[in-house]
Amino acid sequence: MAAVSARLPAFPWDKLEPYKATASAHADGIVDLSVGTPVDPVPDLVQRALVAAADSPGYPTVWGTAAYRDAITDWVRGRLGASNAGHRNVLPVVGSKELVAWLPTQLGLGAGDKVAYPRLAYPTYEVGALLCGAEAVVYDDPTELDPTGLKLLWLNSPSNPTGKVLAKEELIRIVAWAREHGILVFSDECYLELGWDAEPVSVLDDEVSGGSYDGLVAVHSLSKRSNLAGYRAAFIAGDAAVLAELLEIRKHGGMMTPTPVQAAAAVALGDDAHVREQRERYAARREALRAALEAHGFRIEHSEASLYLWATRDEPCWETVAYLAGLGVLVCPGDFYGEAGANFVRVAFTATDERVAAAVKRLG
């Protein structure tokens, strides 16, 4: 056990605890803009679906109910533009983080294999490579990587932490390169519903994939779009052969989404009204925080999508974290996401309207 944990970096969020204590000491309480966890209510129709399925005494299946697969495939076709998707092209997962962390292991990767991900990225991509003993490789442009030994290429658009969106033309170019070299592409698209200044496109879009999902898998979550982070409802879609292999492995591992969660997620995927309502909440918070930060001397880069503002005062990120903690505002240091973020902080706009207003007042 110690040998495995020794491969991994220190859990980054533990480093924020002293700054959280400082922010919490503010007379009006902390405004926590660090983690980015949803705070708004789970939509009523989703709660009702969960309750209606509460009497589910039997084991769920890893592949999910037919109703859940129907909902996923309908959404993938309609929202992602993947017109050829069917049940064999979808697989529920128990939240997207466990998929990211354990995917290289489940793909059978190990020593001598490479896993690549963006230079500024969600740290769990690296963790997944380290857990299986593969080599973690970062990139600015994946097509400039040496393809030798590269088995898994992570894309992330919209990006966490920067909010950057890969244009359709970029995705087409990257997919063509990966297919030429036989590299499996997993595209983390969990923030796809949250485009602000750009319209995110899925790697499964017919114009990107060419109507074939060979070598392509997209990762999606209901945590952000439907406030279901506590439900651990997510799924992957794409290459049927890859998903069939993962299904067999995950059946042995008992990696099952609970039946009531499947029922609730199916209803959430079938309803767009609550997504529009939540987007409106986030849009207002984003606008208020962006204006306050810029008026306070911050510069915002990228941030055209996702739930974050990528902000800098051109100083070491921990100095910015300490400064804002003194105002009772907790943000995330950019170096959590790679050395390239050393002068940035990630500011989530997932706090309540009241807490966002408090942050704006303090920055004013």
Side-chain angles (χ1 to χ4, degrees):
M1 292 173 65
V4 175
S5 64
R7 300 176 195 166
L8 306 179
F11 189 62
W13 295 100
D14 292 342
K15 300 177 185 177
L16 265 184
E17 286 303 314
Y19 302 92
K20 185 175 183 179
T22 298
S24 298
H26 190 278
D28 186 38
I30 187 173
V31 178
D32 192 343
L33 308 178
S34 62
V35 177
T37 188
V39 297
D40 299 303
V42 173
D44 286 342
L45 80 168
V46 178
Q47 294 190 49
R48 290 195 297 271
L50 184 79
V51 171
D55 186 15
S56 298
Y59 289 112
T61 63
V62 173
W63 198 23
T65 63
Y68 190 23
R69 295 197 303 273
D70 280 342
I72 296 173
T73 53
D74 286 348
W75 188 85
V76 167
R77 291 184 198 125
R79 184 64 182 85
L80 303 186
S83 61
N84 296 324
H87 279 210
R88 296 289 174 184
N89 301 110
V90 301
L91 178 64
V93 295
V94 192
S96 58
K97 183 170 184 174
E98 68 87 356
L99 183 281
V100 174
W102 293 109
L103 177 66
T105 299
Q106 293 177 7
L107 291 173
L109 304 188
D113 298 323
K114 297 177 184 176
V115 175
Y117 50 88
R119 188 173 303 280
L120 276 168
Y122 185 47
T124 312
Y125 304 135
E126 179 188 17
V127 167
L130 296 175
L131 281 170
C132 73
E135 179 183 354
V137 179
V138 299
Y139 65 78
D140 296 305
D141 179 346
T143 67
E144 296 176 356
L145 291 168
D146 179 356
T148 306
L150 180 55
K151 300 295 179 64
L152 174 61
L153 171 63
W154 278 107
L155 303 181
N156 180 210
S157 175
S159 163
N160 175 14
T162 69
K164 181 179 179 180
V165 172
L166 292 175
K168 183 182 293 184
E169 295 72 24
E170 278 290 278
L171 289 172
I172 292 170
R173 182 178 66 86
I174 293 166
V175 166
W177 177 85
R179 283 175 164 169
E180 177 186 352
H181 295 287
I183 298 165
L184 178 61
V185 174
F186 263 69
S187 180
D188 182 347
E189 302 172 355
C190 289
Y191 295 91
L192 183 132
E193 298 267 38
L194 296 162
W196 310 110
D197 303 324
E199 184 61 40
V201 178
S202 173
V203 76
L204 300 184
D205 183 282
D206 288 348
E207 293 186 34
V208 176
S209 69
S212 166
Y213 311 129
D214 291 349
L216 304 177
V217 180
V219 181
H220 283 271
S221 168
L222 282 79
S223 293
K224 307 301 192 294
R225 74 182 293 279
S226 301
N227 298 334
L228 296 187
Y231 283 45
R232 312 313 300 136
F235 59 89
I236 54 179
D239 190 316
V242 173
L243 268 57
E245 174 67 10
L246 291 174
L247 174 58
E248 290 304 310
I249 294 165
R250 294 170 70 84
K251 285 195 294 188
H252 282 289
M255 305 178 88
M256 303 171 285
T257 303
T259 303
V261 172
Q262 293 186 40
V267 168
L269 286 171
D271 179 72
D272 291 330
H274 78 275
V275 179
R276 290 192 296 270
E277 181 180 342
Q278 189 59 44
R279 276 181 54 88
E280 290 171 2
R281 292 189 187 109
Y282 284 141
R285 294 166 186 167
R286 176 180 183 268
E287 182 178 354
L289 281 170
R290 180 166 195 151
L293 287 165
E294 289 177 335
H296 202 77
F298 283 84
R299 185 176 73 257
I300 309 297
E301 293 193 1
H302 301 301
S303 307
E304 58 259 35
S306 83
L307 289 177
Y308 313 108
L309 295 169
W310 189 236
T312 182
R313 297 202 306 172
D314 295 310
E315 66 183 7
C317 59
W318 287 99
E319 291 184 19
T320 307
V321 169
Y323 170 74
L324 289 174
L327 299 178
V329 178
L330 186 67
V331 298
C332 184
D335 66 3
F336 276 12
Y337 305 93
E339 294 178 3
N343 286 346
F344 286 81
V345 293
R346 193 195 73 171
V347 183
F349 41 90
T350 53
T352 64
D353 292 345
E354 184 273 332
R355 287 290 83 189
V356 167
V360 169
K361 181 178 179 180
R362 296 173 197 183
L363 289 166

